[in-house]
Amino acid sequence: MTKGKLIAIIAGAVLLTAGAAGGGFWWWQRGHSTEAKAPPPPKPSTFRYVTLDKVIVMLRSQAGDPLAHYMAVDVVFKADDPVKEKAVKDQLPLLRSVTVMALSEFTLEKAGGLTIEQLTTEVNAAYKARYAADSIEQPFSEALISKLIIE
């Protein structure tokens, strides 16, 4: 073997070793990067929603007002799991009654002056008071008003 061939073989072995070391280092860095990794995708919502449609309430009238005024609302209850969803469905007649009692206290002027958030707060307070009076657990975390018509 000549001196030139020996140098070429040694140079090839050094380059091959350097390439393998560089590739190994790149592979190792890719798995141990200091960059922030992408957050895991958010879990799908575990909430269940139950709707109470078409609750119609006659608003109190002012003295001498010849016309009757009405409020129609759709309420959505946010339940945490399927068991509580079933409990909400079973209690829809009670929830309809509590909604009517809470909203029938309003006059046309007062109901028209409230925002959806304020009406939602009033209705949620009525539900909490009813469940506290009955000493039972409320099967939903909150109630949301999904539709409101005042006529």
Side-chain angles (χ1 to χ4, degrees), residues 91 94-95 98 123-140:
Q91 295 176 12
L94 169 69
L95 296 169
V98 172
V123 170
N124 276 307
Y127 296 140
K128 286 181 182 162
R130 178 57 188 251
Y131 280 101
D134 290 348
S135 299
I136 56 174
E137 180 187 1
Q138 183 172 302
F140 54 91

Side-chain angles (χ1 to χ4, degrees), residues 84-102:
K84 289 186 177 182
E85 176 188 16
K86 183 178 180 336
V88 171
K89 286 180 181 178
D90 292 343
Q91 295 176 12
L92 283 178
L94 169 69
L95 296 169
R96 180 178 295 277
S97 174
V98 172
T99 305
V100 169
M101 285 190 294

Side-chain angles (χ1 to χ4, degrees), residues 51-57 71-75 96 147:
T51 303
L52 176 62
D53 290 330
K54 299 179 183 108
V55 178
I56 299 173
V57 179
M71 175 189 299
V73 294
D74 288 352
V75 184
R96 180 178 295 277
K147 187 189 299 183

Side-chain angles (χ1 to χ4, degrees), residues 8-146:
I9 291 173
I10 292 173
V14 168
L15 286 175
L16 184 63
T17 305
F25 180 74
W26 173 80
W27 177 79
W28 181 78
Q29 279 293 92
R30 190 180 62 177
H32 295 78
S33 176
T34 58
E35 295 177 13
K37 295 184 179 182
K43 292 182 178 179
S45 176
T46 58
F47 294 113
R48 306 290 181 130
Y49 296 94
V50 179
T51 303
L52 176 62
D53 290 330
K54 299 179 183 108
V55 178
I56 299 173
V57 179
M58 184 171 169
L59 298 172
R60 291 186 311 148
S61 62
Q62 299 289 341
D65 190 5
L67 299 175
H69 298 285
Y70 296 92
M71 175 189 299
V73 294
D74 288 352
V75 184
V76 177
F77 300 97
K78 185 177 174 183
D80 296 334
D81 57 45
V83 174
K84 289 186 177 182
E85 176 188 16
K86 183 178 180 336
V88 171
K89 286 180 181 178
D90 292 343
Q91 295 176 12
L92 283 178
L94 169 69
L95 296 169
R96 180 178 295 277
S97 174
V98 172
T99 305
V100 169
M101 285 190 294
L103 296 178
S104 65
E105 297 293 320
F106 294 113
T107 62
L108 175 65
E109 291 77 26
K110 185 171 180 180
L114 294 175
T115 64
I116 296 288
E117 291 84 18
Q118 291 169 328
L119 279 171
T120 302
T121 302
E122 291 284 332
V123 170
N124 276 307
Y127 296 140
K128 286 181 182 162
R130 178 57 188 251
Y131 280 101
D134 290 348
S135 299
I136 56 174
E137 180 187 1
Q138 183 172 302
F140 54 91
S141 57
E142 70 176 317
L144 307 165
I145 294 179
S146 63

